[in-house]
């Protein structure tokens, strides 16, 4: 499986990332840099016995810092976001270099992306209501973005259009073409 990524959760005592702060994915369209941003809420800080106090730092500062270090190595930059709509709009107004955002703010789920400050944002709703799907071209270009509805416990296969019988039966390779 993929590691959990959060670009702006840090351990207060050390300043180090609490989780992986970024992820690299090699795709047929090139190298994809995955970042993630959570809302900076002081009430959401918690103590992790083996590491220390965990808290969210400013998502704009965290994402800008990672992009300044890593963006030149990426063909595409994807931001996964649980920021609310105004927070995400502010981040995208202030940070350049993000190609696509998949966002959930516990309410808005749309079947097609919205442009926010020139960046496509796919709102996937709450609790996995929709899964985001991006089609990438061979040259690393973004061909399209769509939402894949989730019915019951399993998603709808993006090619067949019917619910998948079991999680094990889903073949990601068949959905890539």
């Amino acid at each position: 499986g993929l590691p959990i990524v959060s670009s702006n959760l840090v351990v207060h005592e050390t300043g180090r990332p609490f989780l992986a702060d970024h992820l690299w994915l090699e795709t047929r369209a090139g190298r994809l840099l995955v970042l993630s941003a959570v809302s900076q809420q002081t009430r959401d800080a918690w103590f992790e016995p083996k590491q220390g106090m965990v808290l969210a730092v400013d998502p704009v500062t965290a994402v800008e810092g990672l992009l300044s270090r890593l963006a030149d190595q990426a063909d595409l930059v994807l931001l996964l976001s649980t920021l609310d709509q105004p927070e995400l709009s502010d981040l995208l107004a202030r940070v350049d270099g993000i190609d696509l955002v998949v966002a959930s703010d516990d309410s808005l789920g749309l079947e097609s992306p919205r442009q926010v400050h020139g960046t496509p944002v796919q709102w996937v709703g709450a609790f996995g209501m929709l899964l985001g799907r991006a089609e990438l071209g061979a040259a690393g270009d973004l061909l399209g973005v769509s939402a894949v509805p989730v019915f019951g416990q399993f998603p709808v296969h993006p090619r067949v259009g019917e619910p998948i019988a079991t999680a094990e039966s889903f073949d990601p390779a068949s959905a890539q073409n």
Side-chain angles (χ1 to χ4, degrees), residues 52-123:
M53 185 62 67
V54 178
L55 51 92
V57 297
D58 176 41
V60 171
T61 303
V63 169
E64 275 182 329
L66 287 166
L67 284 172
S68 70
R69 275 192 6 241
L70 303 171
D72 61 340
Q73 302 169 48
D75 296 307
L76 290 165
V77 177
L78 168 66
L79 176 67
L80 305 175
S81 169
T82 60
L83 301 174
D84 64 26
Q85 295 172 51
E87 289 175 305
L88 181 58
S89 179
D90 178 61
L91 184 144
L92 292 173
R94 296 169 56 194
V95 177
D96 291 326
I98 298 170
D99 297 301
L100 174 63
V101 178
V102 175
S104 173
D105 70 349
D106 289 340
S107 62
L108 185 61
L110 301 174
E111 291 190 19
S112 60
R114 286 190 177 164
Q115 294 288 319
V116 179
H117 298 290
T119 302
V121 177
Q122 180 63 60
W123 291 97

Side-chain angles (χ1 to χ4, degrees), residues 6 10 39 41 62 65 69 86 103 109 111 125 129 131 136 145 147 172 176:
S6 181
V10 300
S39 190
Q41 301 289 332
R69 275 192 6 241
E111 291 190 19
M129 187 171 82
L131 300 176
L136 306 175
V145 179
Q176 291 179 359

Side-chain angles (χ1 to χ4, degrees), residues 5-67:
V5 176
S6 181
S7 301
N8 68 317
L9 283 180
V10 300
V11 178
H12 174 70
E13 291 80 359
T14 64
R16 291 185 178 166
F18 174 62
L19 303 166
D21 60 3
H22 68 281
L23 172 68
W24 290 106
L25 294 176
E26 300 296 334
T27 71
R28 67 175 185 211
R31 198 163 195 218
L32 180 66
L33 172 61
V34 180
L35 304 176
S36 173
V38 299
S39 190
Q40 183 183 14
Q41 301 289 332
T42 55
R43 69 177 186 271
D44 292 336
W46 72 92
F47 183 75
E48 176 63 38
K50 294 182 181 180
Q51 296 190 46
M53 185 62 67
V54 178
L55 51 92
V57 297
D58 176 41
V60 171
T61 303
V63 169
E64 275 182 329
L66 287 166
L67 284 172

